[in-house]
Amino acid sequence: MSPRPESAPRTVNLVTLGCARNEVDSEELAARLTASGWELTSDGDASVVLVNTCGFIQAAKQESIDELLAAASSGARVAAVGCLAERYGAELAGELPEAQVLSFDDYGEIAEIVRSHHERVDGTGYPDRLSRDDIPILARIIAVADAYNAMTSDRPYRDAMPSRVARLRLAQAVESQFDTSVVAAFEAILAGGTESYRAGTGSGFRFDVQVDEQEEAPAQLTAAVG
């Protein structure tokens, strides 16, 4: 077997917004990512942007939304954790499908999921050559969504592919690169949408969370920020 080409360093930009609790959570998350072989960076060309959001402080709430939108438009893989992801996870997932929304309980699994999203179901991916069900299900889902997003987005060297072409290429790669059941579910969702939905250009992709500024933070948040 020929040696596998050395891959580029895996880099993650961890953006922390809001209260002191988020700073503590980000320190734990950074340690887990580093232990899993990820290089923390603040560069704009990081392969993954992980935004630790805030859902209680109004200014930080809007900044969280802006950071997620900016990260999604940069071409990087995006994940959202923190207060905003906890409180408005369903809305975030629906309005910003390119971002993986995770809860506080998922922190321990984030590093494994991000690490494994370049694995292939036939076992020829990297970094661990995992195959089939040994690859975390969220990593298998991210792999399909990321490939579709890359194919249907403009690049400096080519125009975006039509949705039908990208979906055909996904179908051609099942049982080698992608999980068959994940591709089937992905296709079922896209088949039921409009062309603007499949291209990610419809009005539903605009994200604007409206929350009453007078909402009181829960007791545990008040204690965390003193």
Side-chain angles (χ1 to χ4, degrees):
M1 181 181 296
S2 60
R4 182 177 52 191
E6 184 176 349
S7 61
R10 294 172 299 137
T11 56
V12 55
N13 182 7
L14 177 55
V15 181
T16 305
L17 303 167
C19 64
R21 167 66 183 273
N22 278 13
E23 294 288 347
V24 174
D25 289 336
S26 285
E27 289 179 5
E28 177 185 349
L29 187 51
R32 290 179 181 272
L33 289 167
T34 301
S36 296
W38 283 84
E39 177 183 335
L40 295 174
T41 179
S42 59
D43 292 343
D45 59 353
S47 56
V48 177
V49 178
L50 181 56
V51 183
N52 193 355
T53 61
C54 178
F56 294 103
I57 302 172
Q58 185 62 27
K61 185 192 307 176
Q62 185 59 52
E63 189 177 3
S64 298
I65 297 170
D66 293 342
E67 285 285 350
L68 288 169
L69 292 172
S73 65
S74 73
R77 299 168 187 86
V78 186
V81 296
C83 306
L84 190 69
E86 283 283 328
R87 299 185 74 197
Y88 307 106
E91 290 90 337
L92 278 172
E95 299 291 347
L96 196 62
E98 55 267 68
Q100 179 66 46
V101 180
L102 303 167
S103 71
F104 288 125
D105 293 337
D106 295 314
Y107 277 23
E109 302 176 15
I110 291 174
E112 180 185 7
I113 293 166
V114 176
R115 178 181 176 86
S116 300
H117 78 280
H118 281 300
E119 301 288 357
R120 295 168 53 106
V121 295
D122 63 5
T124 63
Y126 66 91
D128 302 310
R129 291 188 176 273
L130 302 178
S131 63
R132 302 191 183 279
D133 291 344
D134 290 334
I135 305 171
I137 183 59
L138 283 177
R140 284 178 269 157
I141 293 171
I142 290 172
V144 171
D146 179 59
Y148 178 82
N149 180 66
M151 289 187 285
T152 57
S153 299
D154 287 329
R155 291 291 189 263
Y157 51 87
R158 63 156 175 81
D159 293 334
M161 294 181 189
S163 173
R164 65 181 184 280
V165 175
R167 290 150 64 194
L168 176 61
R169 293 198 176 186
L170 291 177
Q172 291 171 336
V174 297
E175 290 305 302
S176 57
Q177 184 174 358
F178 303 121
D179 184 299
T180 301
S181 60
V182 172
V183 172
F186 192 73
E187 168 61 24
I189 293 171
L190 293 181
T194 63
E195 190 58 36
S196 64
Y197 177 86
R198 289 189 285 267
T201 58
S203 60
F205 288 87
R206 291 196 297 269
F207 178 63
D208 183 20
V209 173
Q210 299 291 333
V211 181
D212 185 356
E213 295 185 23
Q214 301 302 316
E215 287 183 342
E216 294 184 358
Q220 62 268 29
L221 179 68
T222 303
V225 299

